[in-house]
Amino acid sequence: MLTITNLSKTYPGGKLAVDNLSLEVEGGHICGFIGHNGAGKSTTLKSAAGVLSFDEGDIVIDGHSIRREPVAAKRVTAFLPDNPDLYEFLTGIKYLEFIADIYELPRSDRKPLIDKYASAFELGGSLGSPISGYSHGMKQKLALISALIRRPKLLILDEPFVGLDPKASYLLKEFLHELCAEGGAVFFSTHVLEVAEKLCDMIAIIKQGRLIEAGKTSDIVGKSSLESVFLELAEEAVHDEA
């Protein structure tokens, strides 16, 4: 579903954010993307979502190159950054209708989906109110609903569990599994290693822009824990660079 090949990105000023990164996420799989702050996670996610240009390599989503077929690739992708911008002058329902219109979601499909996710996240009673009056958690739930109603082939999330209450976190995990059961894939970054270890089929670890490990969660963790493996691999990468 997602194939990243030799991705490199350098920001103005010469900072190399992503260095020759290659990664593949199959349909039906959840891939956790972990690394320290500044490791290149967000740059990789934004590049895959088509909202950030990159210097070298290619990214293919469901057979569509983000370079050559950006519209087709974005049509099957939903991306939520760590702090999504919402049109706060709109009501919640108007925002969801706006997103549904952009992606040409049939009206016969959108209402049941909006009702399903709004009810689950306990947001139904607030959809008629302006987003400007929402709490941070409510805005995050609305953003998640706007992505889920589209039933994307690839869902890209940057730190999706930060700020969610325990019930919402549980529901999100269930909805991610549901999307994968329908053949979709999820690629998300997180600092919560326990969540990644329990939720993800595969793990990718990035250090200073370079992918230092990727594979099935069970293979990477083995008899240890993801936290200990992550710290060990990060330490080895430092020694290798030295």
Side-chain angles (χ1 to χ4, degrees), residues 108-210:
S108 58
D109 294 342
R110 67 179 68 176
K111 187 179 187 308
L113 289 170
I114 290 174
D115 290 346
K116 170 185 175 179
Y117 294 119
S119 175
F121 284 119
E122 300 178 338
L123 206 61
S126 301
L127 289 183
S129 302
I131 298 172
S132 58
Y134 284 20
S135 67
H136 175 75
M138 292 170 67
K139 290 177 182 178
Q140 191 169 359
K141 291 175 184 178
L142 183 69
L144 286 169
I145 294 170
S146 73
L148 291 168
I149 61 173
R150 291 168 43 200
R151 314 307 295 162
K153 295 286 189 70
L154 175 66
L155 180 57
I156 303 174
L157 306 168
D158 198 352
E159 297 289 347
F161 295 99
V162 174
L164 287 182
D165 58 72
K167 181 179 180 181
S169 294
Y170 172 81
L171 287 169
L172 177 56
K173 294 171 192 174
E174 292 296 300
F175 291 142
L176 296 185
H177 283 304
E178 186 180 275
L179 187 148
C180 289
E182 297 172 356
V186 179
F187 184 39
F188 78 99
S189 70
T190 182
H191 282 103
V192 188
L193 301 185
E194 294 85 357
V195 169
E197 185 172 348
K198 294 177 181 178
L199 178 63
C200 299
D201 304 288
M202 65 176 294
I203 297 291
I205 302 175
I206 187 172
K207 171 76 174 179
Q208 294 181 345
R210 303 192 70 178

Side-chain angles (χ1 to χ4, degrees), residues 197 203 216-226 228-229:
E197 185 172 348
I203 297 291
K216 292 182 179 179
T217 305
S218 57
D219 291 342
I220 290 178
V221 173
K223 296 181 180 180
S224 185
S225 69
L226 182 56
S228 60
V229 170

Side-chain angles (χ1 to χ4, degrees), residues 98-114:
F98 170 68
I99 295 298
D101 285 342
I102 288 177
Y103 289 93
E104 300 177 344
L105 186 67
R107 292 197 170 274
S108 58
D109 294 342
R110 67 179 68 176
K111 187 179 187 308
L113 289 170
I114 290 174

